[in-house]
Amino acid sequence: MELKRDLSYFDLTNIVVGAIVGSDIYIASAITAGLLGPFSIVVWVVAGIMATILAMIFAYSAYYVPRVGGSFAFVSTAFDDFYGFMAGWSMWIAEVLSLPVFALTFANYLQYFLPLSFLEQLLVNAVFLFGLTAVNIFGVKAAGRVNDVLTVAKLLPLLLLVFVGLGSFVFNPGLLSNYTPFAPFGLGSFGTALVLIFWAYVGFELGTLPAGEVKDPKRNIPRAIITGMAIVIFFYLSTNFVIFGTVSSPRLAQTVTPLVLVGSALLGTSGAIIVSLGALVSVSGSDESGILGTARLAYAMSVDGLFPRAFSKVHPKFKTPYMALVIQGALALGLSLYSGLGDLISFSVFNLAFSFLLVSLSLVVLKRSGEKGLRGQSVLPWLGVGICLFLLYSTSLFDKLAGAALILTGVPLYLYFSPKTDIHHLKSLFTSEEAIFARNLEKKNRFLANFVRMASNVYKRIRRGL
């Protein structure tokens, strides 16, 4: 049975934008303000171009290998299961490292309303991570209209800041004095800032759906990726333009909630409240998507016999990989004890860059020269290789040593698990085109939509009991 090509250019563009824009904008500006000052805006452009090239590589790889598993599937098909496992293993590490970043950010913005002690922050992190884990285990498909409302709710506070901020600059040009000097700390930290800002664009790989679902994929996939990334870059640039123009770089560098400062400066207390609430919604939605995608990657490797069988255990009632979700939730909670956001992000990017490097090399093998319409497929993978090598080089010495050591631990894991036989009945169900299509339709789920549906069901059951 072939998939219906129901996804249009417009649909795929929306998927790309929605997969990228999340909570990152609430974090990165404060971290890079102390490294480069307002010059960070230039780095947002450079990182966006780099991410666009890598997104195109993922899109073309998905066209040639319309299978679940992302980097694991692409690299396995191009080379063999060992390299596929290493790509999937490094990707899984990176995604697990990202999960506590959102929990820490949630706790930071929550403290605008409620100051928290260390133990209280730990409790908030636990509730946040395992609450979203529970939603992924027990959640049901939410209505599309609910998702649309939640998406608007996530972006509206940022759009409000951009609109008010640009208006303030028109009526009070003196605010732009915060842009001088443009590079107060020099450009010595360019590479470090680039690594941190690149993380804000990660998520483009989630927008590269199997080509079997896209109308005219040769034409629409490249166009949607370029258009979607252009929208994201514009959105990030406009937001950062307002951030650095409204608040000075030294003040931004001293806070963990930069947009609270901006919202307060532009709209007073009400602005700070709106931004903080928007951050809580956006961070929760982003982490929910990350939890779901990370568990799916571990599940894909497990059903291939390359990961512990526990990760392929499916809940008998809810049909979700509940053990993979619980295990990664516990790991993320442990990592949240370490509050160095910048270090977690940088270490995550090192592992992502290694996985993206293998994907770029795999496209060199996967591409067919006779395949017309896929523009740049001969040049893009080599550009991707250069980008990934630069990202790996730009990380800290600790990231290089610890990251390489952690990735290499995948070798004995592979040697131990590779002789195992595939769990064929799970693999056939999980990798079939029908299953992939069904799961992609359910990607419209968002944590609040699921939560509302769950709360409604609980309320109905209580009323029946009464």
Side-chain angles (χ1 to χ4, degrees):
M1 174 182 175
E2 291 188 359
L3 299 177
K4 293 182 179 179
R5 298 189 182 276
D6 287 335
L7 290 177
S8 66
Y9 157 69
F10 180 76
D11 296 329
L12 193 56
T13 300
N14 285 335
I15 290 171
V16 172
V17 174
I20 297 172
V21 177
S23 63
D24 319 90
I25 194 66
Y26 290 93
I27 309 169
S29 57
I31 300 175
T32 59
L35 296 173
L36 294 175
F39 188 82
S40 300
I41 290 183
V42 176
V43 187
W44 282 91
V45 177
V46 175
I49 294 172
M50 293 167 62
T52 301
I53 293 172
L54 291 172
M56 292 289 290
I57 292 171
F58 266 79
Y60 287 169
S61 297
Y63 175 81
Y64 286 118
V65 186
R67 285 175 49 202
V68 74
S71 56
F72 167 64
F74 306 151
V75 179
S76 294
T77 303
F79 302 112
D80 57 34
D81 278 351
F82 171 72
Y83 292 103
F85 173 82
M86 296 303 289
W89 169 244
S90 55
M91 176 71 76
W92 185 76
I93 293 172
E95 298 295 346
V96 170
L97 285 168
S98 296
L99 299 181
V101 172
F102 297 111
L104 292 167
T105 304
F106 183 91
N108 288 338
Y109 276 91
L110 181 63
Q111 290 194 76
Y112 176 79
F113 303 103
L114 182 66
L116 302 171
S117 66
F118 174 78
L119 291 178
E120 289 170 338
Q121 289 184 53
L122 181 60
L123 179 61
V124 168
N125 292 340
V127 172
F128 177 82
L129 290 168
F130 283 105
L132 295 180
T133 297
V135 168
N136 273 291
I137 294 175
F138 305 115
V140 293
K141 186 175 180 180
R145 290 184 179 179
V146 176
N147 173 62
D148 294 339
V149 171
L150 292 174
T151 301
V152 172
K154 179 175 73 173
L155 297 178
L156 193 58
L158 296 178
L159 294 175
L160 177 63
L161 284 187
V162 170
F163 178 78
V164 175
L166 293 178
S168 299
F169 297 157
V170 171
F171 292 104
N172 186 12
L175 289 172
L176 295 176
S177 63
N178 286 323
Y179 276 96
T180 55
F182 190 55
F185 312 114
L187 302 181
S189 299
F190 180 90
T192 302
L194 180 64
V195 168
L196 297 173
I197 291 175
F198 177 81
W199 185 76
Y201 288 97
V202 171
F204 56 79
E205 68 277 10
L206 301 178
T208 54
L209 298 177
E213 303 166 41
V214 181
K215 298 176 182 177
D216 192 5
K218 294 180 185 178
R219 181 170 179 266
N220 285 332
I221 288 178
R223 289 176 63 220
I225 292 292
I226 293 173
T227 304
M229 292 302 296
I231 292 172
V232 170
I233 293 171
F234 174 79
F235 184 78
Y236 279 165
L237 284 179
S238 59
T239 304
N240 275 281
F241 180 73
V242 170
I243 290 173
F244 284 101
T246 304
V247 180
S248 66
S249 295
R251 287 188 64 199
L252 287 173
Q254 294 173 1
T255 182
V256 293
T257 55
L259 268 70
V260 169
L261 288 179
V262 177
S264 180
L266 292 175
L267 296 170
T269 303
S270 60
I273 292 174
I274 291 171
V275 169
S276 297
L277 290 174
L280 296 180
V281 173
S282 184
V283 169
S284 301
S286 296
D287 206 42
E288 191 272 342
S289 299
I291 287 173
L292 179 63
T294 306
R296 190 168 288 166
L297 174 59
Y299 183 92
M301 291 194 294
S302 181
V303 299
D304 248 10
L306 299 176
F307 229 42
R309 290 178 65 95
F311 287 87
S312 61
K313 288 187 177 181
V314 177
H315 195 283
K317 179 179 180 181
F318 301 105
K319 308 302 180 184
T320 52
Y322 70 102
M323 283 303 298
L325 289 163
V326 170
I327 292 171
Q328 72 185 28
L331 290 173
L333 179 60
L335 289 168
S336 70
L337 294 173
Y338 178 68
S339 59
L341 287 175
D343 294 334
L344 284 172
I345 292 171
S346 179
F347 194 49
S348 176
V349 171
F350 178 89
N351 288 273
L352 283 172
F354 179 80
S355 182
F356 292 166
L357 174 63
L358 293 179
V359 173
S360 298
L361 291 171
S362 70
L363 183 57
V364 177
V365 177
L366 293 172
K367 69 179 179 63
R368 295 188 292 269
S369 57
E371 195 74 26
K372 305 298 183 182
L374 298 181
R375 297 177 181 176
Q377 64 171 331
S378 296
V379 178
L380 284 173
W382 297 113
L383 291 176
V385 168
I387 289 170
C388 293
L389 290 176
F390 181 75
L391 288 172
L392 291 170
Y393 170 78
S394 297
T395 56
S396 67
L397 179 61
F398 173 81
D399 290 339
K400 293 181 179 69
L401 295 177
L406 193 55
I407 289 173
L408 288 175
T409 59
V411 176
L413 283 176
Y414 175 82
L415 294 176
Y416 178 79
F417 287 108
S418 60
K420 308 296 183 183
T421 304
D422 288 3
I423 309 174
H424 291 293
H425 69 287
L426 289 178
K427 186 175 180 179
S428 60
L429 287 173
F430 191 66
T431 60
S432 67
E433 287 192 330
E434 293 88 344
I436 294 172
F437 181 60
R439 282 193 300 275
N440 284 330
L441 289 179
E442 292 176 2
K443 282 184 179 178
K444 289 187 175 182
N445 290 359
R446 290 295 183 270
F447 112 93
L448 279 181
N450 281 333
F451 180 78
V452 170
R453 181 63 63 85
M454 289 168 59
S456 175
N457 290 337
V458 171
Y459 175 73
K460 290 177 181 177
R461 291 182 181 180
I462 292 175
R463 292 203 60 180
R464 289 173 189 166
L466 297 175

